[in-house]
Amino acid sequence: MDNPSSKSFPQKFFFRLQTGKKIRDIIIRMKEIDETLVKHLKVHGGSTHEEVHTDQHIETSSSQSDDIVGLQMDVKKIKDWIFCPDYKLQKIGIVGMGGLGKTTIAKEIFNDNDVCQHFQKRIWVSISQRFIVEEILRSILQQSGEQIAKQSLEKPRQMLQIIISLLRAKTCLIILDDMWETGLKWWMNFFSVLPDYACKGSCIIITTRDKDVASAIEVDKIHQPNVLNKSESWLLFSKHAFSRKKEDSVPIENFEKLGKEIVDKCEGHPLAIKTIGASLGSTDSLDEWKKICKKFSVPSITEENCVVMTSLQLSYKALPPHLRQCLLCFSIFPEDFEIPAQKLVHWWVGDGLIQGIKSKNPTELAFEHLSQLVSRCLVEAVERRGFDGRVNKCKMHDLVRDLTLMMAQEEKLSTFDSKGIQKLNEYSPWLGFTSEMDAQSLNRNTKLRALLQVTGSQPPMNLVSLHSLRALDLSDNKFDKITLNRLLSWISSLKRLAYLNLSRLSQLQQISGLKLIRQANRRSCQLLELEGLTELRVLRMSLSNNSEITEKECGVLSKLKKLKLLAIDFDSEGMEGTTMQKMLDPLLPPPHLKKLYLRAYNHEKLPRWVSPEMLPNLEYLCIEEGRLVDICLSETTWKLEGLCLRLLPHLKMDWSKLRDAMPLLCYAEVSFCNQVVNFPLPTGVWRRNQQ
């Protein structure tokens, strides 16, 4: 790497936080809160601006880590601390080098059944070196589930006061993952204003690489995970390297001998072990194993993460070219950013990075590529679809992200500053646009092929020189009429554009937000107009009192042979349940429908075609917010694998009878359905393997 920033960048891989300063005792009473906040929560404008990034997503049990090998005692130790009777707010620190399993331990605790029952509220916030104070506080409050006035979510002072009130009223577990020395003074004051003795039963857990950070905020207890011992290391490696049977032509003992040599070189680091194990697990070639073993030589340097980085580099080089290119795409996203899988998949397809084959279309193939990256432990699945496990959201461990940034620079795909933030240049094919960037400077990059907005609320405009764009994602934006007209005018000039996303659900084979209005309105859309869309796979539409489905339109859906997902939302305001049923009953459903969503359906019975006879291929059924009383069970059993029943207070069902009618069911969510009896789990989520 020839440029100065490239030479300094690898230092981030072996970043060691400087030993800290002596911390003076801070005892700030409630009467001093206002003064403290005014002094330390100045985050907009001026040189004291502190940046923060937060994850809005709460980790769910579906994202629980499978790599708890060797960490069970760590989890038990911290659980014992949590459940030990105390008379104040507990503050616990999990401290250790990158890749040691700190976040994995925290996830196991967060999703533990005993922990879930112990705390009334559980909140997870991912902290990085770049964060915004207001977003941290806002995320805590939004995840609390409390009804909070919108105006109270604007000022840090108000938000912190609400958090204090919450901790007084509820037993809460708050996990602050990956805390750095950045903004340490603010964190010290944040913890100091929390009233310890008024928050009996609550607990805050932080994870950090720097023990001085944990000491500075005066945690009560610190846990430092150890590296795995030999037996634990081999167990974790085997789980990934031998997840599928090797070819019989080579004795398994030969693989095991090489595997043990490789495991010894990993020195007990979990991230190194599972990534190199997952990489080797994808090949049956003994020669490839020998090659990896020979190359796994750790440089004679003292940086703590050298073993992990060596493992990651070998795993990267072992990737086939198509997966290597997909992995490098992650470099444009900020640290700790949760990436919607559809955003990635449609970018890859639109940019031409993935081509379809005879048996699979490009989108299906792209999801398979993402799944392979997850199985190789180079990408983390944050959220999966309940009934089939497909990745919905993903992210990268910060050390893996460091690797992708270095590789992207070497491949001349992007450049990054010393903090790992993407810089604009004239040759980058991809850009993750943030609010910190100057949109007009993009005009110098005539080779840009993919532009994805990842942060900020205002999209770039008038980028007239970006003639090579093939993928444009400006989702999650609010456009006024003038802005939208300007945007559409610019988009219309992009002749090579293959993927455009202006909302959460925008792709060439989807229709979302379709509103069916009476034919008297000439500007309205009719169901009949969908008849020729033979490639349509996803349809989301809404119905209201102004909607109309004529007799000749009743068979339209049955002609959509490739339609796999149908979602119908009702505007329940002023719309009677009998009207809803009369509108839907005559429809003939799509023959190969796999997923059906009904929201705000206020009739007591389902439409007649929602049955196993009429929907023989249905795999997932979701019914939310309605007055449904009964799901009529016929003699024919369902082939459903997933079921979601939410906010149906009038539904009267026996869970055991429902299970008999759905023998293939492997996942179900039943929440706020108080008249459903015999549901086995208080958490509202059931999985077959939990029986």
Side-chain angles (χ1 to χ4, degrees):
M1 296 179 284
D2 298 324
N3 59 72
S5 64
S6 300
K7 292 178 180 177
S8 63
F9 181 74
Q11 295 177 1
K12 184 174 183 289
F13 300 151
F14 315 111
F15 180 78
R16 305 185 71 182
L17 296 171
Q18 300 297 322
T19 53
K21 311 152 187 169
K22 291 183 179 179
I23 309 301
R24 58 186 177 87
D25 291 332
I26 302 176
I27 305 176
I28 302 177
R29 302 301 180 187
M30 290 301 299
K31 64 181 180 180
E32 297 173 303
I33 289 177
D34 284 352
E35 178 184 349
T36 303
L37 291 171
V38 169
K39 183 176 181 180
H40 296 289
L41 295 184
K42 296 178 181 177
V43 294
H44 287 304
S47 59
T48 59
H49 178 76
E50 293 179 356
E51 295 181 335
V52 190
H53 175 71
T54 177
D55 288 347
Q56 300 293 336
H57 173 68
I58 305 177
E59 299 280 349
T60 64
S61 57
S62 63
S63 61
Q64 190 169 358
S65 172
D66 293 326
D67 293 316
I68 193 64
V69 174
L71 302 177
Q72 294 91 339
M73 295 306 297
D74 302 81
V75 173
K76 183 180 183 304
K77 179 180 178 181
I78 296 174
K79 281 179 61 179
D80 290 342
W81 287 348
I82 291 174
F83 297 144
C84 180
D86 207 337
Y87 295 97
K88 65 175 185 176
L89 171 70
Q90 289 198 72
K91 291 170 284 188
I92 297 172
I94 305 176
V95 180
M97 70 182 73
L100 199 56
K102 302 183 298 296
T103 299
T104 301
I105 294 170
K107 284 181 182 178
E108 290 294 324
I109 293 168
F110 188 82
N111 294 306
D112 181 85
N113 287 333
D114 296 333
V115 172
C116 292
Q117 295 177 9
H118 182 77
F119 293 101
Q120 294 172 286
K121 303 290 182 182
R122 294 177 305 126
I123 296 165
W124 180 290
V125 183
S126 292
I127 316 296
S128 69
Q129 295 187 76
R130 305 176 61 249
F131 62 90
I132 300 173
V133 170
E134 289 95 331
E135 290 188 3
I136 292 288
L137 300 177
R138 189 177 296 113
S139 177
I140 292 174
L141 289 176
Q142 289 175 340
Q143 294 182 44
S144 73
E146 301 294 320
Q147 294 295 325
I148 300 166
K150 187 176 180 180
Q151 57 270 24
S152 299
L153 297 176
E154 300 299 327
K155 296 182 180 179
R157 179 184 303 163
Q158 291 176 304
M159 288 189 280
L160 185 55
Q161 288 173 339
I162 298 174
I163 291 173
I164 291 172
S165 299
L166 173 67
L167 288 170
R168 284 174 167 169
K170 307 281 188 180
T171 55
C172 301
L173 171 65
I174 301 177
I175 294 184
L176 304 173
D177 184 42
D178 199 19
M179 189 178 290
W180 293 75
E181 192 179 34
T182 306
L184 181 57
K185 190 174 183 180
W186 184 86
W187 285 115
M188 291 166 58
N189 283 278
F190 171 81
F191 280 93
S192 70
V193 300
L194 298 179
D196 284 355
Y197 291 94
C199 304
K200 180 181 177 181
S202 290
C203 178
I204 298 179
I205 298 176
I206 72 159
T207 70
T208 179
R209 299 188 190 184
D210 192 345
K211 188 175 181 179
D212 291 332
V213 171
S215 299
I217 61 176
E218 298 182 332
V219 298
D220 304 307
K221 297 180 177 69
I222 292 178
H223 175 65
Q224 295 179 273
N226 295 317
V227 296
L228 304 182
N229 60 36
K230 282 193 174 183
S231 61
E232 293 166 343
S233 298
W234 178 247
L235 180 60
L236 180 59
F237 177 83
S238 300
K239 181 179 178 181
H240 292 281
F242 301 110
S243 58
R244 61 189 183 92
K245 189 177 182 295
K246 300 298 180 188
E247 290 184 357
D248 295 334
S249 57
V250 181
I252 189 65
E253 293 80 8
N254 293 7
F255 288 101
E256 290 178 346
K257 182 180 178 181
L258 286 170
K260 289 178 179 178
E261 289 185 40
I262 294 171
V263 168
D264 287 342
K265 295 178 181 180
C266 290
E267 299 178 358
H269 293 275
L271 183 60
I273 293 169
K274 70 178 185 179
T275 51
I276 199 69
S279 176
L280 292 170
S282 65
T283 177
D284 292 330
S285 170
L286 188 64
D287 289 337
E288 188 65 25
W289 279 56
K290 291 178 179 178
K291 188 186 302 182
I292 294 291
C293 185
K294 185 177 181 180
K295 289 182 178 179
F296 204 133
S297 57
V298 180
S300 57
I301 52 179
T302 60
E303 285 83 351
E304 60 185 15
N305 286 324
C306 62
V307 172
V308 180
M309 292 310 300
T310 300
S311 171
L312 294 179
Q313 286 178 323
L314 290 174
S315 298
Y316 170 78
K317 291 176 181 178
L319 289 174
H322 64 279
L323 288 183
R324 196 178 300 180
Q325 191 172 36
C326 289
L327 186 71
L328 292 179
C329 291
F330 284 82
S331 63
I332 74 168
F333 296 101
E335 182 182 2
D336 286 327
F337 188 81
E338 289 189 359
I339 309 164
Q342 285 197 354
K343 185 185 288 283
L344 275 173
V345 163
H346 297 314
W347 163 22
W348 294 344
V349 173
D351 197 14
L353 301 178
I354 295 177
Q355 304 291 332
I357 56 179
K358 287 185 178 180
S359 59
K360 294 174 184 174
N361 65 40
T363 301
E364 293 171 338
L365 204 58
F367 271 109
E368 286 190 9
H369 288 7
L370 178 58
S371 179
Q372 290 175 38
L373 291 175
V374 171
S375 68
R376 289 171 180 258
C377 299
L378 294 169
V379 175
E380 299 176 15
V382 173
E383 180 183 290
R384 292 180 181 271
R385 194 162 63 183
F387 73 95
D388 64 358
R390 196 178 81 174
V391 177
N392 281 340
K393 286 185 179 179
C394 58
K395 65 186 293 187
M396 266 191 168
H397 190 284
D398 50 2
L399 291 181
V400 182
R401 180 177 179 270
D402 289 344
L403 173 72
T404 64
L405 266 59
M406 184 181 74
M407 295 296 105
Q409 286 197 151
E410 287 188 0
E411 298 291 334
K412 301 294 184 182
L413 294 173
S414 293
T415 57
F416 307 88
D417 63 18
S418 58
K419 293 183 178 180
I421 302 172
Q422 188 177 12
K423 297 193 298 185
L424 300 176
N425 59 53
E426 67 279 3
Y427 59 79
S428 294
W430 317 317
L431 178 67
F433 185 82
T434 69
S435 55
E436 302 165 346
M437 296 179 177
D438 177 14
Q440 297 308 317
S441 62
L442 281 172
N443 281 313
R444 295 195 297 269
N445 188 342
T446 59
K447 298 179 180 179
L448 195 66
R449 294 169 56 88
L451 175 61
L452 287 77
Q453 186 173 357
V454 293
T455 64
S457 58
Q458 291 300 322
M461 296 291 179
N462 298 328
L463 304 180
V464 294
S465 65
L466 302 184
H467 302 304
S468 299
L469 269 186
R470 295 181 56 86
L472 176 62
D473 191 322
L474 302 178
S475 52
D476 298 323
N477 271 291
K478 294 182 179 180
F479 303 104
D480 56 43
K481 186 174 182 180
I482 296 176
T483 303
L484 184 59
N485 287 338
R486 291 173 56 199
L487 178 64
L488 293 177
S489 176
W490 169 53
I491 290 174
S492 65
S493 68
L494 301 174
K495 305 303 182 184
R496 300 182 182 179
L497 196 64
Y499 164 60
L500 171 65
N501 190 351
L502 297 180
S503 68
R504 292 181 181 229
L505 304 163
S506 177
Q507 57 176 325
L508 296 179
Q509 295 174 350
Q510 290 188 9
I511 292 181
S512 300
L514 176 67
K515 294 184 178 181
L516 299 182
I517 309 297
R518 298 182 187 277
Q519 289 184 355
N521 186 338
R522 294 183 178 180
R523 300 182 63 183
S524 66
C525 182
Q526 306 300 315
L527 194 60
L528 198 62
E529 297 177 48
L530 306 182
E531 193 171 30
L533 302 179
T534 56
E535 294 297 313
L536 195 64
R537 287 166 169 78
V538 175
L539 174 61
R540 290 178 169 88
M541 61 183 184
S542 59
L543 300 174
S544 67
N545 272 330
N546 294 322
S547 300
E548 180 183 33
I549 299 177
T550 64
E551 184 177 351
K552 62 181 179 181
E553 292 178 310
C554 292
V556 168
L557 296 181
S558 66
K559 297 178 182 179
L560 304 178
K561 306 294 185 183
K562 294 186 179 181
L563 192 68
K564 298 295 190 295
L565 185 153
L566 175 62
I568 305 176
D569 291 358
F570 290 88
D571 181 4
S572 57
E573 185 175 350
M575 192 176 186
E576 296 180 357
T578 52
T579 305
M580 296 178 181
Q581 191 185 43
K582 287 179 181 179
M583 197 176 295
L584 290 189
D585 255 350
L587 293 179
L588 297 176
H592 302 294
L593 195 68
K594 290 188 175 182
K595 291 180 278 293
L596 174 64
Y597 298 78
L598 295 177
R599 296 187 178 93
Y601 178 74
N602 284 337
H603 198 272
E604 296 180 356
K605 295 183 179 180
L606 290 171
R608 64 173 183 83
W609 48 268
V610 183
S611 67
E613 294 87 358
M614 299 287 281
L615 297 172
N617 299 298
L618 197 66
E619 297 175 352
Y620 183 76
L621 174 63
C622 177
I623 308 173
E624 297 180 283
E625 301 179 42
R627 297 183 178 274
L628 190 67
V629 173
D630 182 38
I631 299 177
C632 297
L633 302 179
S634 63
E635 295 182 359
T636 306
T637 58
W638 291 83
K639 293 184 179 179
L640 288 176
E641 297 176 15
L643 176 68
C644 177
L645 302 173
R646 187 183 298 142
L647 294 168
L648 302 172
H650 304 284
L651 180 62
K652 298 178 181 179
M653 292 292 301
D654 187 319
W655 168 252
S656 58
K657 292 182 179 179
L658 196 68
R659 283 285 293 112
D660 290 339
M662 301 176 182
L664 301 181
L665 200 66
C666 58
Y667 171 88
E669 178 184 349
V670 179
S671 55
F672 300 99
C673 302
N674 299 330
Q675 299 192 60
V676 174
V677 297
N678 295 324
F679 191 77
L681 297 171
T683 58
V685 176
W686 171 90
R687 290 180 176 81
R688 179 181 294 174
N689 59 14
Q690 291 179 327
Q691 286 185 309

